[in-house]
Amino acid sequence: VLEKGMPERSAVTTCAYCGVGCSFKAEVKDDEVIRMMPYKDGKANHGHSCVKGRFAYGYATHKDRILSPMIREKISDPWREVSWEEAIAHTAKEFRRIQYQYGRTSIGGITSSRCTNEETYLVQKLVRQGFRNNNVDTCARVCHSPTGYGLGQTYGTSAGTQDFDSVEFTDVAVVIGANPVSAHPVFASRLKKRLRQGAKLIVLDPRRTEMVKSAHVEADYHLPLKPGTNVAVLTSLAHVIVTEGLFDEAFIRERCDWTEFQDWASFVALPENSPEIVGKLSGVDPELIRGAARLYAKGGNGAIYYGLGVTEHSQGSTTVMAIANLAMATGNIGRPGVGVNPLRGQNNVQGSCDMGSFPHELPGYRHISGEAVRDIYESLWGVKLDDEPGLRIPNMLDAAVDGSFKGIYIQGEDILQSDPDTKHVAGGLAAMECVVVHDLFLNETANYAHVFLPGSTFLEKDGTFTNAERRINMVRKVLEPKARYADWQATQELARAIGLDWNYMHPSQIMDEIAQTTPSFANVSFELLDRVGSVQWPCNEKAPLGTPIMHIDGFVRGKGKFIRTEYVATDERTGPRFPLLLTTGRILSQYNVGAQTRRTDNVMWHAEDRLEIHPHDAENRGLRDGDWVRLTSRSGETTLRALITDRVSPGVVYTTFHHPDTQANVITTDFSDWATNCPEYKVTAVQVGASNGP
Ligand code: SF4
């Protein structure tokens, strides 16, 4: 306080990093944020915070921000600064030309999980009402789309079942493919507090993360499974629960379809799902599988928390369904302390999905083929909507390479760095005639852009983010947009330029339209959020102040659905050329591809990504700690420095991906989840060898 002085003004807003959604008081002086103070009445964080939300805000005023729109004819040309009017008119003209020349479905858009609900709603509306197609997708495609599919199929709604407060009633926590200590720190603190009070912990993870053992935590069971074997191990847990009669028959008979349960039970009871057989293929001691299954089924309230180690696999959706099966079989649904809880990575990935950013779904997860749903939007927007799903991001890129997709509007997303198979992404972007990047910085994708529209940070706009517990939190403006427009205003300008009659004066009016058309948001308004702080959807006539815990009296789909989850090995195989398996994750001080955190003081805590390798594997290759190594896969190669540690098992290597030089996605494969195309980032066969450096 002494150093930076007293604030001139402040506002309570929401962290723009992870899906915990912590509330902060942003304090401003001389038109700069001088402090982010954790807000004690924030319902997701209760006054706590981590080093990202607390300290990593300097990117908002970083010199790298682009504050003027720019255009260029060809991507080899230099950028030319232009007025907003010229940039918007040029973009609208280009999009119209492309559609006239190549057809209505030759353009599309990508929404951002970093932007507000109101902004993502407008981008999907621009695509559907303005472009007249369903070619809209979101970065959830590469992270939690299997959550949407898996929980939608089994429970009827594409979201976590609990609020964070629920952890206070948990007796057994199961953490699968997630390291909340690094990626969801404020939630991790609450979980650790509960563990100190005596709750038990089961961790399924190839790596010995801080959840397995650290200063304040020691897991009761760590199942160090081989990357790619999640479904086998989860089905084996179910095998123990069924064959030892540990399931909750009363719950299943009342809440699920008993015949479907019997079918599922006979499947999981097959010998191939036994701990002995699964132990061999997953590398997990069968007794650990047995012990963990018994503890989860009979240890009291069991809650499952999972992350991208579940979803980013070729069987990502199957894994989510296997988790949902376990919770139903043991009756761990519909009360405090239990449930299935996806730990969402980005601040508003839940919201971007809720807002209809998928090519097959309108806001509120309603399929585009539903006539009654289309009617609502057709009468409000005055257009006829396509009843066929549009293109997903990978399909847009395929179509671009094939020559039928020519233009894209990308808001707040760096697909070149964050999507799989970098060469393919670059090829798709290079084949388009109008790539519009709307972002804070000239990111990697912008190398292929023809138009750059300057974005706004969360400090420069009003709106809402929805966190991992479905909580709709207010985002409040404390700075004027540094590049004239908040993102929602820029999208509105583009919509007007292509002929749409949009007249939103404030994001609250966009939320009013969302509430008018989306049953799960029917009672949500800025007035309500200002009054009560935040609410969790569904928030409607039946639940006017929201719904902390879902599926209390029945599943949203009616009866909970058990689905067989057959293990299918990934096509990515190790062999003599590529004998090791690479998996990836994050560290506490950095965030995703680092576009923001690398432009803050947090960079002092993590200046580079390193490759974790087990001492045996390092010794076999003559590597010492800190040596440069070449990491090679069937897709490509990169160079980084070794970190020798027994956190990883022999045969497994691990890296973070916060720095662009790491080029993790040059290495990863193009395999993806069978249901959603979510890329298989967590399993890549690699070789590691000595290198002289980059
Ligand atoms: Fe909270 Fe996540 Fe922000 Fe950290 S990064 S302050 S845990 S919302």
Side-chain angles (χ1 to χ4, degrees), residues 15 17-18 20-22 24 50 52-53 185-186:
C15 178
Y17 286 114
C18 87
V20 175
C22 296
F24 282 88
C50 83
K52 289 188 284 276
V186 167

Side-chain angles (χ1 to χ4, degrees), residues 109-115 120 123-124 134-145 344 346 348-361 365 391-394 396 410-413 415 418-419 676-679:
I110 298 177
T111 70
S112 173
S113 295
R114 320 307 319 281
C115 290
T120 53
V123 173
Q124 65 85 33
N134 288 314
N135 293 337
V136 62
D137 208 356
T138 164
C139 52
R141 175 68 51 214
V142 298
C143 62
H144 267 288
S145 50
R344 301 285 191 152
Q346 304 202 63
N348 200 35
V349 68
Q350 179 71 57
S352 74
C353 300
D354 299 344
M355 293 297 105
S357 302
F358 287 126
H360 66 294
E361 280 174 343
Y365 304 98
L391 298 173
R392 297 169 174 179
I393 295 170
M396 292 184 207
I410 305 172
Q411 186 176 75
E413 177 68 0
I415 59 170
S418 58
D419 283 37
T676 65
N677 280 141
C678 184

Side-chain angles (χ1 to χ4, degrees), residues 540-608:
N540 47 30
E541 211 172 82
K542 222 170 125 195
L545 292 179
T547 311
I549 296 175
M550 296 193 78
H551 317 298
I552 288 178
D553 300 319
F555 286 96
V556 168
R557 71 181 301 282
K559 294 279 188 189
K561 186 172 181 63
F562 282 94
I563 296 176
R564 284 179 176 229
T565 53
E566 218 150 300
Y567 168 65
V568 179
T570 169
D571 286 335
E572 178 70 352
R573 304 285 160 89
T574 52
R577 277 181 66 211
F578 303 106
L580 306 172
L581 281 176
L582 169 73
T583 189
T584 59
R586 311 175 193 191
I587 66 150
L588 171 62
S589 60
Q590 296 293 309
Y591 182 76
N592 279 7
V593 295
Q596 286 139 298
T597 45
R598 278 186 290 107
R599 292 181 170 100
T600 71
D601 293 342
N602 276 28
V603 80
M604 70 185 168
W605 287 304
H606 182 75
E608 64 175 351

Side-chain angles (χ1 to χ4, degrees), residues 616-634:
H616 293 321
D617 292 325
E619 195 183 337
N620 287 341
R621 289 162 176 77
L623 301 174
R624 287 165 309 172
D625 200 48
D627 280 355
W628 284 104
V629 296
R630 193 168 60 251
L631 179 67
T632 318
S633 73
R634 293 182 182 92

